[in-house]
Amino acid sequence: MDAPPTTTGTQPRGLQPETMAGASNESIELPMDQREVVFDCRELGVRYAGVRALRDVDLNIHRNTVTALIGPSGCGKSTFLRCLNRMNDLIPSAVVDGACLYHDEDLYGPQIDAIEVRKRIGMVFQKPNPFPKSIYDNVAFGPRVLGMKDGLDDRIEQALRRAALWDEVKDRLRQGALGLSGGQQQRLCIARALAVEPDVILMDEPCSALDPISTAAIEDLMTDLKSEYTVVIVTHNMQQAARVADMTAFFSVDQGETGTRCGVLIEVDSTEKIFTKPSNERTEAYVTGRFG
Amino acid sequence: MIGVLALCAVISILVTVGIVVALMVPSLEFFTEVSPAEFFTTAKWAPLFKPAAFGVLPLITGTLNTTFWACTICLPLGLGTAIYLSEYARPRARAVIKPVLEVLAGIPTVVLGYFALTFLTPLLRSLGWQVEIFNAFSAGIIIGVLLLPTVASLSEDAMKAVPSSLREGSFGLGANRFQVSTRVVVPAAISGIAASFVLAISRAIGETTIVLIAAGQLAHVSFMPGDSVETMTAFIAATGAGDVPVGSISYKTIFAVGLTLFVITLLLNIVAIRMVRRFREVYE
């Protein structure tokens, strides 16, 4: 425990060198706020067609932690999540301002390729969205488009095992993915994201369309995944955040004087602190169910 | 009210049945005079001359010749346009391209026919390709232009119907826009795309005015693009507009060729539907 925080030394970090997932598991031994900073967001904001949806988010996300983003509808937590892998680029009217540093490199810098960003920062969506292809082809999609064709079978098996789905599907890899149950589909989507060996997994309300048993399976999975990955999850469900997250960020909505609504980050702290003794009264009102 | 609506449905059925019967009766009379073996296997077509010859193969190959060139234009360009409109185009580009395509689809075929004859054919000749004045290539290319908006519009509709969650899922894995389009959106929309292809091919086979004006009336078996050919539709239109006596054998050939055309198109549709059922990727 006396080792200083590592991996900020000689080797340049950022998008170019391959940050092998799980290569420095020692960081999980450190207290959360001393673990390596994966995302360092400074005054991050988003406008859609000129209307501000999110402003001034200052937030660090640390390696090998599960960070939950909670808050009422319209608070910008999904918008924020989509900044982290440049998914907002897909909306032509979206403009991101402020800085979002990923391993000290600005994700929105001029040399950064959004394709490369999304390869390193995987995403799982609210509704399971397997492709209408076989289970195998779903997991193989990412490796194939990225040209990782060596040892594809092994890569797929490994991804399915990590997503705790292998035993259920190993005998029917060539069957259609849409024949799986909702919970299996979502684990398939997680396996699909893991197959390209990302550094970070972003999850946008991954359990909102699932039954409680499937939800429990995915939550167990998140806890397992943090030993190798950094996980950021948006959730509506405060119990879920309390169960799975190490850190919790509470977002809320500020009402402007002209009636405009804009998402803001109210507070980020360890999950235990957010749910027991938050420092901001708005957080307290929300987590105790008296929403403010 | 239900009665009125049901009547509307019944009328369309009656019309279809009526057309089939109207085709069948003179065709059957034709085949009592000319054997189907001669009709479908011999390659000399001269129904209006003496001695008459009734081998339909030159008309079928003429149709295939023009249809082939139409397909080389309308299928790849139509699909490419659809991918561009559905996956790439910003609203400003769409605002230009969509109306232009609609105008293209609205040009009367007689205008396109003369465009092929008086613009495209001379252009090909000035480029040093000694095509005949009436040729399959010019007619086929212009049919392809005519059908391009059909393929583009129907394929685009099919691709637009693919849920955006699939696009997001593939972008989220690091795919680029071209990979998302070709590996996720097109496969998911393949049944609609194939339907647009089949419709285009059927209409290329059935297109009459352009081939009548620009492809010629020389019934011989030729797959050369620069040759003058007679298609099934051009024969029907030219002969029907001529002075053959009703009830004569020449008159009945019109119906026999029409029935052949009908059966070819029908078979094409059936085969296409089967293929689509087998290969499509069903989302939800």
Side-chain angles (χ1 to χ4, degrees):
Chain A
M1 292 300 268
D2 53 356
T6 55
T7 67
T8 48
T10 52
Q11 191 194 2
R13 307 298 308 215
L15 290 176
Q16 300 312 324
E18 202 54 33
T19 314
M20 282 301 293
S24 56
N25 278 354
E26 71 273 18
S27 76
I28 203 158
E29 305 289 329
L30 295 166
M32 278 174 303
D33 53 3
Q34 287 178 31
R35 292 177 196 169
E36 184 193 341
V37 173
V38 177
F39 290 105
D40 176 2
C41 298
R42 296 174 189 171
E43 297 182 357
L44 190 74
V46 180
R47 280 170 294 155
Y48 291 119
V51 179
R52 187 159 282 289
L54 184 69
R55 68 172 158 80
D56 297 336
V57 176
D58 288 293
L59 178 59
N60 282 358
I61 290 169
H62 297 269
R63 188 178 176 82
N64 298 116
T65 57
V66 176
T67 304
L69 312 178
I70 62 168
S73 297
C75 69
K77 54 193 190 297
S78 288
T79 299
F80 173 73
L81 190 75
R82 283 162 171 264
C83 290
L84 300 180
N85 68 342
R86 294 192 53 171
M87 283 302 269
N88 281 327
D89 289 16
L90 301 179
I91 302 165
S93 67
V95 178
V96 177
D97 46 38
C100 182
L101 305 184
Y102 169 70
H103 293 299
D104 297 329
E105 189 151 4
D106 187 357
L107 278 184
Y108 290 85
Q111 302 91 0
I112 301 297
D113 178 8
I115 305 286
E116 181 69 11
V117 170
R118 297 190 199 116
K119 179 196 158 190
R120 308 293 302 283
I121 305 169
M123 190 160 200
V124 176
F125 297 84
Q126 190 166 357
K127 199 164 140 267
N129 59 349
F131 303 129
K133 302 176 188 289
S134 70
I135 292 166
Y136 184 96
D137 286 341
N138 261 275
V139 185
F141 183 88
R144 280 177 179 153
V145 299
L146 297 168
M148 307 154 118
K149 290 191 177 137
D150 294 339
L152 193 57
D153 287 356
D154 289 343
R155 182 184 288 275
I156 285 164
E157 177 175 343
Q158 207 183 8
L160 285 166
R161 281 187 189 281
R162 279 189 196 148
L165 190 61
W166 174 253
D167 291 333
E168 292 161 61
V169 302
K170 64 184 175 198
D171 300 322
R172 48 169 171 157
L173 292 175
R174 297 290 171 185
Q175 290 178 26
L178 293 167
L180 298 173
S181 72
Q184 288 173 324
Q185 286 185 8
Q186 195 62 304
R187 275 179 285 152
L188 179 67
C189 292
I190 294 171
R192 191 171 70 179
L194 297 179
V196 297
E197 292 176 21
D199 179 35
V200 181
I201 308 279
L202 309 177
M203 297 187 174
D204 190 355
E205 300 186 38
C207 302
S208 64
L210 303 183
D211 62 82
I213 293 170
S214 304
T215 300
I218 304 252
E219 287 180 4
D220 287 347
L221 191 53
M222 283 183 230
T223 312
D224 292 344
L225 289 175
K226 74 175 174 184
S227 64
E228 292 183 55
Y229 305 94
T230 302
V231 179
V232 186
I233 170 177
V234 166
T235 179
H236 265 304
N237 180 334
M238 282 188 280
Q239 284 78 20
Q240 182 171 63
R243 283 192 298 264
V244 302
D246 304 303
M247 303 289 287
T248 297
F250 171 64
F251 288 74
S252 192
V253 184
D254 265 3
Q255 201 94 29
E257 60 277 11
T258 53
T260 52
R261 294 159 60 87
C262 176
V264 284
L265 173 64
I266 302 294
E267 179 174 5
V268 55
D269 213 323
S270 73
T271 300
E272 192 193 349
K273 194 136 177 277
I274 290 284
F275 283 100
T276 54
K277 42 180 194 302
S279 33
N280 189 296
E281 58 190 27
R282 289 172 73 177
T283 315
E284 187 175 9
Y286 186 74
V287 299
T288 56
R290 286 183 290 116
F291 175 55
Chain B
M1 194 60 209
I2 295 172
V4 175
L5 296 176
L7 190 67
C8 296
V10 168
I11 286 173
S12 64
I13 293 172
L14 287 179
V15 169
T16 310
V17 171
I19 289 171
V20 173
V21 170
L23 271 178
M24 290 291 279
V25 172
S27 298
L28 289 176
E29 288 173 16
F30 173 82
F31 284 119
T32 59
E33 294 178 51
V34 177
S35 75
E38 183 192 348
F39 187 70
F40 289 113
T41 60
T42 64
K44 187 161 162 51
W45 182 254
L48 309 181
F49 297 99
K50 289 201 189 302
F54 297 97
V56 80
L57 285 180
L59 300 189
I60 292 177
T61 59
T63 295
L64 289 179
N65 198 337
T66 55
T67 301
F68 175 80
W69 296 112
C71 290
T72 63
I73 294 293
C74 72
L75 304 189
L77 291 187
L79 182 59
T81 307
I83 292 174
Y84 179 75
L85 285 174
S86 165
E87 306 301 312
Y88 285 85
R90 294 285 174 112
R92 197 170 295 175
R94 287 179 59 84
V96 175
I97 295 169
K98 290 284 276 183
V100 169
L101 282 175
E102 278 158 25
V103 167
L104 191 57
I107 298 175
T109 51
V110 65
V111 174
L112 289 173
Y114 279 101
F115 181 72
L117 180 66
T118 62
F119 177 79
L120 185 57
T121 297
L123 180 71
L124 294 173
R125 289 182 153 205
S126 70
L127 293 173
W129 184 16
Q130 288 311 311
V131 294
E132 293 180 37
I133 289 290
F134 299 104
N135 67 82
F137 184 80
S138 294
I141 296 298
I142 297 300
I143 295 171
V145 170
L146 170 73
L147 297 177
L148 198 160
T150 307
V151 175
S153 162
L154 291 178
S155 294
E156 189 206 348
D157 289 348
M159 288 163 60
K160 282 243 143 122
V162 173
S164 58
S165 64
L166 295 184
R167 291 185 185 85
E168 288 195 330
S170 41
F171 276 121
L173 291 166
N176 62 35
R177 200 168 280 277
F178 184 74
Q179 289 166 329
V180 172
S181 307
T182 55
R183 300 193 190 196
V184 173
V185 179
V186 168
I190 199 71
S191 58
I193 292 169
S196 79
F197 281 16
V198 171
L199 180 67
I201 295 169
S202 295
R203 285 182 52 187
I205 292 172
E207 168 50 38
T208 307
T209 314
I210 294 171
V211 289
L212 186 65
I213 294 168
Q217 253 111 69
L218 186 62
H220 67 142
V221 174
S222 168
F223 290 102
M224 300 306 291
D227 279 3
S228 176
V229 297
E230 181 164 44
T231 67
M232 292 186 274
T233 51
F235 167 78
I236 293 169
T239 310
D243 52 1
V244 289
V246 173
S248 68
I249 183 72
S250 308
Y251 173 80
K252 288 171 192 161
T253 55
I254 297 173
F255 292 89
V257 174
L259 185 67
T260 309
L261 193 61
F262 178 75
V263 169
I264 288 173
T265 319
L266 189 68
L267 287 177
L268 186 71
N269 279 297
I270 291 169
V271 169
I273 289 166
R274 294 239 166 135
M275 270 175 55
V276 166
R277 283 220 183 105
R278 177 171 296 184
F279 292 115
R280 72 176 167 169
E281 293 185 344
V282 183
Y283 48 87
E284 290 165 304

